[in-house]
Amino acid sequence: MRALVTGASGFVGAAVARALVSAGWQVRVLVRAASDRTNLQNLPLEIAVGDLTVAASLQRALAECDALFHVAADYRLGVRDPSPLYQTNVEGTRNLLTAAADSGVKKIVYTSSVATMGIAADGSPGDEQTPVSLAAMIGHYKRSKFLAEQLVLEAVSAGTPAVIVNPSTPVGPGDVKPTPTGQLVRDAAAGRMPAYVDTGLNIVHVDDVAAGHLMAFHHGRIGERYILGGEDMTLQQILGVIAQLVGRPPPRVRLPYAAVLPAAYLAEAFAKLTGRSGRVTLEGVRMSRKRMFFSSAKATRELGYHWRPPTEAFADAVRWFRDHGYIRC
């Protein structure tokens, strides 16, 4: 079996490529000419240089592929110009779906996100059936992923053999950029987060997410969505675990939302003046008002999906960041 993996130079995509190689697949990866290929070193795979916005490059990359794992996404918060997010996440997905149909790919696993999922009003974990709409999407990243997911569902209705997976908050080795979550881990390990807000995330090891992609290919039902998550944790718990791993005292100051919001406005104003995005974004602060808690029961039941304790994910992430010079602690 030969698979094309998009986004394989990134965090989740690289983990999916590693999982496929370990399972004995022939793996081809789509990377842009200027992409950092650190995550692809020492992997026995084929590299296809291309871009989601260039249709001809997608057709070449998909030639003779049995499967497509579309993991690529522009995951940034608080961007000044959101058009690249829509160009990559929405139009890039549209281009790839067209190329896959022309190439006769047998099955597609599309990597969405829990960002597209609804959050229950009573605070209980959301799942694939929790009501949600485009109007509920906070910020351009969430909106772009929601619209891209709708494109995949529309394609399924027209006969495209696609399964959707929705990772929660992946943590672990190989976060080269790093992602916003990886930056949080990095800052916490370096002692740059002395306080916290009352929010929460569902934490999962990136390698468990990758394994879930293969399970979705083999066992997922066409047109279904599967949350690939782990354990719900408050931000205070997350920072406490990271502090323990690096031998620092955990933060004890809880900041109210009303105090953080003005700081986010100031940070965004500074970013506009300097042309550089900061760590604190208005989009991120608005998202933090709700705890992003989710259930992976459907994936467990239908795919055989499971996850390891989140402490292992944080330990692997901290070790990787330390080994690669991102943190010194």
Side-chain angles (χ1 to χ4, degrees), residues 277-297:
S277 296
R279 287 185 171 89
V280 179
T281 66
L282 190 57
E283 186 175 343
V285 170
R286 284 174 172 162
M287 287 168 61
S288 74
R289 293 195 73 174
K290 295 182 179 180
R291 293 185 175 185
M292 301 287 286
F293 288 172
F294 297 95
S295 169
S296 299

Side-chain angles (χ1 to χ4, degrees), residues 195-214:
Y196 61 92
V197 294
D198 182 19
T199 190
L201 299 167
N202 182 280
I203 302 297
V204 61
H205 197 293
V206 69
D207 290 339
D208 293 334
V209 170
H213 279 67
L214 273 68

Side-chain angles (χ1 to χ4, degrees), residues 9-303:
S9 61
F11 183 39
V12 176
V16 171
R18 291 194 301 267
L20 286 165
V21 168
S22 296
W25 287 60
Q26 292 178 281
V27 180
R28 183 182 296 159
V29 298
L30 179 73
V31 296
R32 288 173 294 184
S35 293
D36 181 348
R37 302 184 189 181
T38 301
N39 274 335
L40 304 179
Q41 293 175 357
N42 305 317
L43 284 178
L45 41 74
E46 236 183 299
I47 292 181
V49 177
D51 193 292
L52 292 175
T53 63
V54 181
S57 71
L58 303 182
Q59 292 168 352
R60 290 193 298 268
L62 281 163
E64 300 179 348
C65 284
D66 304 289
L68 166 63
F69 291 82
H70 179 27
V71 191
D74 189 340
Y75 176 23
R76 292 178 296 153
L77 303 180
V79 295
R80 296 180 64 197
D81 177 12
S83 58
L85 270 76
Y86 292 97
Q87 192 65 31
T88 296
N89 297 345
V90 183
E91 297 309 316
T93 297
R94 190 193 308 275
N95 293 340
L96 196 56
L97 289 170
T98 300
D102 293 342
S103 301
V105 169
K106 295 181 177 65
K107 195 169 186 178
I108 300 169
V109 177
Y110 168 67
T111 309
S112 184
S113 167
V114 292
T116 69
M117 294 285 181
I119 300 175
D122 63 3
S124 60
D127 63 21
E128 294 84 354
Q129 300 302 315
T130 305
V132 70
S133 66
L134 180 61
M137 298 294 106
I138 298 172
H140 293 290
Y141 170 69
K142 281 194 170 191
R143 287 178 62 85
S144 67
K145 290 299 287 184
F146 185 91
L147 292 170
E149 187 176 282
Q150 295 305 303
L151 277 180
V152 177
L153 291 172
E154 290 168 10
V156 168
S157 298
T160 298
V163 176
I164 298 170
V165 292
N166 300 75
S168 57
T169 309
V171 173
D175 198 350
V176 293
K177 192 170 279 188
T179 62
T181 305
Q183 188 63 54
L184 182 151
V185 174
R186 182 184 176 189
D187 287 345
R192 291 195 290 264
M193 293 193 68
Y196 61 92
V197 294
D198 182 19
T199 190
L201 299 167
N202 182 280
I203 302 297
V204 61
H205 197 293
V206 69
D207 290 339
D208 293 334
V209 170
H213 279 67
L214 273 68
M215 294 173 188
F217 177 84
H218 290 297
H219 308 296
R221 291 184 288 136
I222 301 300
E224 292 293 322
R225 300 189 299 164
Y226 297 94
I227 294 173
L228 302 180
E231 185 174 320
D232 292 328
M233 301 179 71
T234 65
L235 182 56
Q236 183 183 20
Q237 291 172 325
I238 290 168
L239 298 179
V241 168
I242 297 169
Q244 185 175 23
L245 286 169
V246 299
R248 295 184 185 276
R252 306 207 178 269
V253 178
R254 177 179 174 274
L255 296 175
Y257 178 77
V260 179
L261 192 60
Y265 276 109
L266 288 173
E268 295 243 330
F270 181 75
K272 287 181 180 178
L273 287 173
T274 62
R276 293 179 298 174
S277 296
R279 287 185 171 89
V280 179
T281 66
L282 190 57
E283 186 175 343
V285 170
R286 284 174 172 162
M287 287 168 61
S288 74
R289 293 195 73 174
K290 295 182 179 180
R291 293 185 175 185
M292 301 287 286
F293 288 172
F294 297 95
S295 169
S296 299
K298 180 180 177 181
T300 299
R301 184 174 62 252
E302 296 191 14
L303 308 181

Side-chain angles (χ1 to χ4, degrees), residues 173 315-329:
D316 286 350
V318 169
R319 186 182 304 110
W320 190 89
F321 281 134
R322 182 183 286 137
D323 290 347
H324 289 78
Y326 287 74
I327 55 176
R328 293 176 175 81
C329 58

